[in-house]
Amino acid sequence: MSGVSEHGRRLLPHEIVERMRSELGDLAQETIREIRRQVPEFAQPLEGPFARTIRVGVERSLAGFVTRVSDPPPAGEREEIAELSRSLGRIEMREGRSLDALQAAYRIGARLAWRRWVKVGQEAEIAPARMYGLAEAVFAYIDELASHAVEGYAQAQADTAGELHRRRQRLLEALLSERPPEPEELSEAARAARWPLPRTVAALVLRREQPPGERPHFPRLPGTVVLADFDRADPVVLLPDPAPEHVDLLERDLRGARAALGPRVEPADAAASLHTARRLMELIGRGLEEHRRVARCTDHLASLVLLEDERLLDLLAGRRLAPLEQVRPKQRERLAETLLAWLQCGGSAPEVARAINVHPQTVRYRLRQIEELFGADLRDPDARFELGLVLRARTLLPPSRWPSPL
């Protein structure tokens, strides 16, 4: 707007500028009245912080224009008026409105100011050429104020988004901690984070498939506000009230990562859902069979129960499978496979043969060996149950992770 100031000084002599200045008080009051009448968003009581801000904004903006088209503006005045417009933009954003109302107010101010300056110009018999230049200056000035308001609005949006992101991150951390917040604290934190508190949540753990530093593409789930942290080594998402269609959408559109979905729990138990999802992802990484992009814990509950504590599983295997240490490694594998099939089929050699695809006579030979090795344990319900657990666990992992001693 430096051109406006220089151009204005050439157009308007000192006495005209002083006449314009004398009209500012009445013009400001007229402008405020019309803004309140024509813009419903600004039709608020004349008292209070908001009304004062509007009044000051109108008065300073009008005075700033008159100064700008006459004398060189005092140092800092241009930035002061720009910041005033930015503050109006920030107010509009924080009040939850668009900039439409403020832009309408600027247009009303420009129209009323121009009418007033035309009247002054006619009374002073100013040449039309000078009035045309003044008109350009008025509307260029309003455009400048409007652009500063846009800056303030965008700045407030960024600040709000940043603060909202921080609040949601803190809420996510609190929910996933070993000591979740108390119900009242949780409700307050959820309100502050603009996160409708759901009845249930499920934790989703991601395993990256793209180079470090690149975020996975996580699709937007309609009608759902997720809490997410994609910057950690194992990105985590907390899904509120997860529905089958949400999981189907993730299965279809998730890119750059695989995922494990924990069970649905109450929000206060989100850490338990996260633990289960992490455990499932760990088991998949070690060979647990899963072909879908989004693995569901509900599809692997038996495996998760069996493999929850592999240290204890090894101890149980060492106790129950110790008789197999008496035979060669390859023979151990054949006997272990046959024993599991026998336990599952109820003792019928033909059924066991069909299950493991060998001849029934071969099965009978192996069963005699198993009887010699395990003896009374095969008739003890507790021993049979524990043998089934250990042998079943062996089928869930690759041989390198089989429970000892096999």
Side-chain angles (χ1 to χ4, degrees):
M1 284 299 293
S2 59
V4 169
S5 179
E6 293 296 325
H7 188 52
R9 287 202 298 274
R10 289 198 301 271
L11 285 172
L12 302 177
H14 176 73
E15 61 272 15
I16 300 302
V17 171
E18 290 305 309
R19 174 68 186 277
M20 293 171 62
R21 203 183 304 278
S22 70
E23 299 279 344
L24 288 177
D26 185 57
L27 176 59
Q29 292 183 19
E30 180 187 9
T31 302
I32 293 170
R33 284 195 304 270
E34 284 301 301
I35 288 174
R36 295 184 68 247
R37 187 179 68 83
Q38 297 185 40
V39 184
E41 293 85 346
F42 294 164
Q44 301 187 26
L46 293 175
E47 300 299 325
F50 180 80
R52 286 195 294 272
T53 300
I54 294 298
R55 185 173 62 253
V56 171
V58 170
E59 293 172 350
R60 292 293 297 117
S61 297
L62 291 173
F65 175 75
V66 173
T67 299
R68 189 170 296 193
V69 297
S70 56
D71 307 315
E77 182 180 271
R78 184 186 298 271
E79 179 54 32
E80 178 185 342
I81 294 175
E83 180 55 31
L84 182 60
S85 294
R86 284 191 285 265
S87 70
L88 291 172
R90 287 192 289 268
I91 289 173
E92 290 302 280
M93 192 274 156
R94 289 165 185 161
E95 290 290 325
R97 295 189 289 261
S98 70
L99 279 174
D100 291 346
L102 186 57
Q103 302 284 19
Y106 280 136
R107 288 193 295 270
I108 291 170
R111 186 169 63 251
L112 294 178
W114 173 236
R115 288 176 182 173
R116 186 67 61 105
W117 306 149
V118 167
K119 181 180 177 182
V120 170
Q122 289 174 340
E123 292 175 354
E125 298 182 349
I126 296 177
R130 286 189 171 183
M131 294 305 297
Y132 297 152
L134 181 61
E136 292 179 3
V138 167
F139 293 103
Y141 181 67
I142 291 299
D143 286 345
E144 180 182 333
L145 297 184
S147 70
H148 290 312
V150 171
E151 291 177 18
Y153 193 92
Q155 182 184 53
Q157 280 184 318
D159 292 345
T160 299
E163 179 58 28
L164 186 62
H165 175 74
R166 288 188 290 272
R167 289 178 181 177
R168 288 181 175 174
Q169 291 299 104
R170 289 195 293 267
L171 177 59
L172 177 63
E173 292 171 6
L175 285 168
L176 297 181
S177 68
E178 294 301 323
R179 292 185 176 182
E182 295 296 325
E184 290 185 3
E185 296 175 338
L186 177 56
S187 296
E188 179 59 32
R191 280 194 296 270
R194 298 183 189 175
W195 191 64
L197 195 60
R199 291 182 298 104
T200 63
V201 297
L204 190 76
V205 173
L206 304 184
R207 188 180 69 191
R208 301 175 187 274
E209 294 181 332
Q210 78 277 45
E214 292 187 19
R215 285 190 177 188
H217 168 69
F218 192 87
R220 184 178 179 275
L221 305 181
T224 297
V225 178
V226 303
L227 299 179
D229 186 352
F230 294 110
D231 294 326
R232 58 200 301 168
D234 57 339
V236 172
V237 180
L238 200 60
L239 304 180
D241 292 323
E245 55 267 26
H246 296 152
V247 182
D248 293 342
L249 180 61
L250 289 170
E251 181 71 34
R252 186 176 67 248
D253 293 342
L254 178 65
R255 297 289 181 271
R258 295 190 67 182
L261 179 65
R264 290 169 62 118
V265 297
E266 294 183 355
D269 296 322
S273 182
L274 175 63
H275 171 79
T276 306
R278 280 176 169 165
R279 181 59 175 154
L280 177 58
M281 183 61 78
E282 178 187 355
L283 293 175
I284 291 172
R286 290 165 50 191
L288 183 67
E289 187 173 357
E290 173 57 66
H291 300 294
R292 290 188 293 192
R293 180 163 291 275
V294 181
R296 288 80 156 169
C297 286
T298 51
D299 294 339
H300 297 277
L301 292 177
S303 301
L304 288 165
V305 170
L306 279 176
L307 302 173
E308 173 61 21
D309 193 328
E310 293 182 58
R311 181 179 57 85
L312 292 178
L313 188 62
D314 282 343
L315 290 174
L316 183 61
R319 177 187 177 193
R320 289 301 178 193
L321 300 182
L324 291 177
E325 292 183 349
Q326 302 175 44
V327 299
R328 296 186 305 275
K330 288 187 177 180
Q331 193 175 5
R332 290 178 198 168
E333 303 306 328
R334 292 194 292 266
L335 293 181
E337 178 188 39
T338 304
L339 176 55
L340 176 60
W342 179 77
L343 291 170
Q344 293 175 331
C345 295
S348 168
E351 290 184 18
V352 172
R354 284 193 294 272
I356 60 177
N357 196 30
V358 298
H359 196 278
Q361 190 60 36
T362 302
V363 169
R364 293 187 182 95
Y365 172 73
R366 292 180 186 177
L367 289 176
R368 286 195 294 270
Q369 288 182 293
I370 290 171
E371 173 67 30
E372 292 175 2
L373 291 171
F374 288 91
D377 282 351
L378 299 181
R379 294 176 289 279
D380 183 310
D382 290 337
R384 287 164 61 108
F385 175 74
E386 292 178 357
L387 277 168
L389 287 181
V390 173
L391 292 170
R392 172 62 179 161
R394 293 174 71 251
T395 68
L396 301 175
L397 295 173
S400 62
R401 293 301 308 162
W402 282 349
S404 61
L406 297 181

